[in-house]
Amino acid sequence: MSMPQIDEILGPARPAVGEAAEAFQAVRWLQQVEQCATAYTAQVRAARGSLASNHAVAVDRLDGQLATVSLVAASKLAAVVSDAQQAFYAYGTQVTLIRENAAAIRARAEELVLMLQAYVRRLEDIGQQAGVSAVYSWRSPPPIALPNTGPVRWGNVGHDLTHAMNVPEQLAGQWHATAVEFHRVCDELEVLRASWQALHERRMSAERRLAAALRVPHEMSRWQFTADAGPSAGGGLALISRV
C-alpha cells in the first residue's frame, strides 16, 4: 500500500494562513495614529483656548467649527483606531494559536503515517505467510480478523509438524493485534482531520471578525485626514476637508 500524503489525509482546509507578525505590526502603526489623534485633539483645544478671549463673530464661528467639527472628528477617529488595534491584536493572537495547533496536528499526522507504514509491512508479511493478498489504506483499513486464507506457506516454519499446525492460529493472532492498531491509527487520523478543518473554520471566523471591526463608520467616510511623519518625527494629523 502506498502511503498518502499528509495533505491528502488532512484535506483541502488551510488553517495556517495569515501572519501574526503583520497583524502586530498593524497594531504598532495604529498606536502611532492614536498618538497623532491625541496630539491633534490637544492642538485643537489649545487653539480654542487662545480664541476664548476674542468674541468677534468670525472667531466665534471658527471656535464653533473647532468644537463641532475638528474635535468630534478626532474623537471618532480615536475610537475607530482603538477598535482597530484591539481587532488586529485579537486576530494576531488567534493566528498564532492556530498556527501552533496546525503544526502540532501536522506533526502528529506524520508520526501516524510512519506507524501505518510499519503496520502495512507487518500485515504484508503475515498475509504472505497466510496466503492472503489484499490492499488496505487509511480509508479502508484491514479487517480485524485474518481473512480466509489460502494454503499456508510452510517454508519458514521448519519441520516440526506440531509447530506447523499452530502457525495459522499464530498468524491470526498477529494479524488481529496489528489490525487493531491499524484501526486505532486510522481513527486518530480522522480526529486530526476534523481538528484541522475546525482550525480552518476558526481562521476564517477570525478573518471575518477582523474585517467587520475594520469597517469605517459611515459618518467617518465624510472626513478626510492627512498625516505626515508621525509623532516620533514631530508630525501628526490634520483634518483637511469635509466632503
Side-chain angles (χ1 to χ4, degrees), residues 13-33:
R14 293 292 178 267
V17 176
E19 293 293 339
E22 294 177 355
F24 294 137
Q25 177 61 37
V27 171
R28 289 189 290 272
W29 181 82
L30 287 167
Q31 287 172 342
Q32 292 187 336
V33 175

Side-chain angles (χ1 to χ4, degrees), residues 2-12 14 106 137-139 193:
S2 61
M3 286 295 102
Q5 298 295 318
I6 297 300
D7 288 340
E8 178 186 345
I9 292 175
L10 296 179
R14 293 292 178 267
R106 179 174 286 275
S137 72
W138 72 282
R139 283 294 199 183
R193 181 181 173 90

Side-chain angles (χ1 to χ4, degrees), residues 42-224:
Q43 291 169 1
V44 171
R45 286 174 175 164
R48 291 191 66 202
S50 66
L51 296 174
S53 60
N54 193 322
H55 299 290
V57 174
V59 172
D60 288 343
R61 185 177 301 167
L62 175 59
D63 181 66
Q65 286 290 313
L66 291 174
T68 61
V69 177
S70 297
L71 286 180
V72 170
S75 176
K76 289 183 179 296
L77 174 63
V80 169
V81 168
S82 177
D83 290 344
Q85 284 186 64
Q86 295 177 31
F88 271 114
Y89 184 82
Y91 174 75
T93 301
Q94 278 293 306
V95 167
T96 298
L97 293 175
I98 289 170
R99 281 186 169 275
E100 290 175 353
N101 291 339
I105 288 174
R106 179 174 286 275
R108 180 55 179 166
E110 291 172 349
E111 292 176 356
L112 293 176
V113 166
L114 292 177
M115 293 171 67
L116 281 185
Q117 289 176 332
Y119 295 148
V120 165
R121 289 192 295 268
R122 192 179 305 169
L123 289 174
E124 287 176 346
D125 181 61
I126 297 170
Q128 185 178 19
Q129 296 181 61
V132 174
S133 177
V135 177
Y136 303 110
S137 72
W138 72 282
R139 283 294 199 183
S140 301
I144 297 298
L146 180 65
N148 293 331
T149 63
V152 176
R153 301 182 62 177
W154 308 106
N156 296 326
V157 300
H159 301 289
D160 186 332
L161 183 59
T162 302
H163 177 66
M165 294 294 291
N166 291 330
V167 167
E169 183 177 349
Q170 293 172 358
L171 293 178
Q174 294 170 9
W175 180 281
H176 174 82
T178 305
V180 166
E181 287 302 305
F182 199 112
H183 277 261
R184 183 189 64 78
V185 169
C186 290
D187 289 344
E188 187 173 350
L189 284 173
E190 288 290 354
V191 171
L192 292 180
R193 181 181 173 90
S195 298
W196 187 262
Q197 178 63 36
L199 282 181
H200 173 81
E201 293 171 0
R202 277 179 57 189
R203 191 261 296 174
M204 295 292 290
S205 178
E207 290 178 355
R208 287 192 294 269
R209 287 195 300 272
L210 176 62
L214 296 182
R215 290 195 184 99
V216 177
H218 176 69
E219 63 271 19
M220 287 294 295
S221 66
R222 300 162 56 200
W223 299 94
Q224 292 181 353

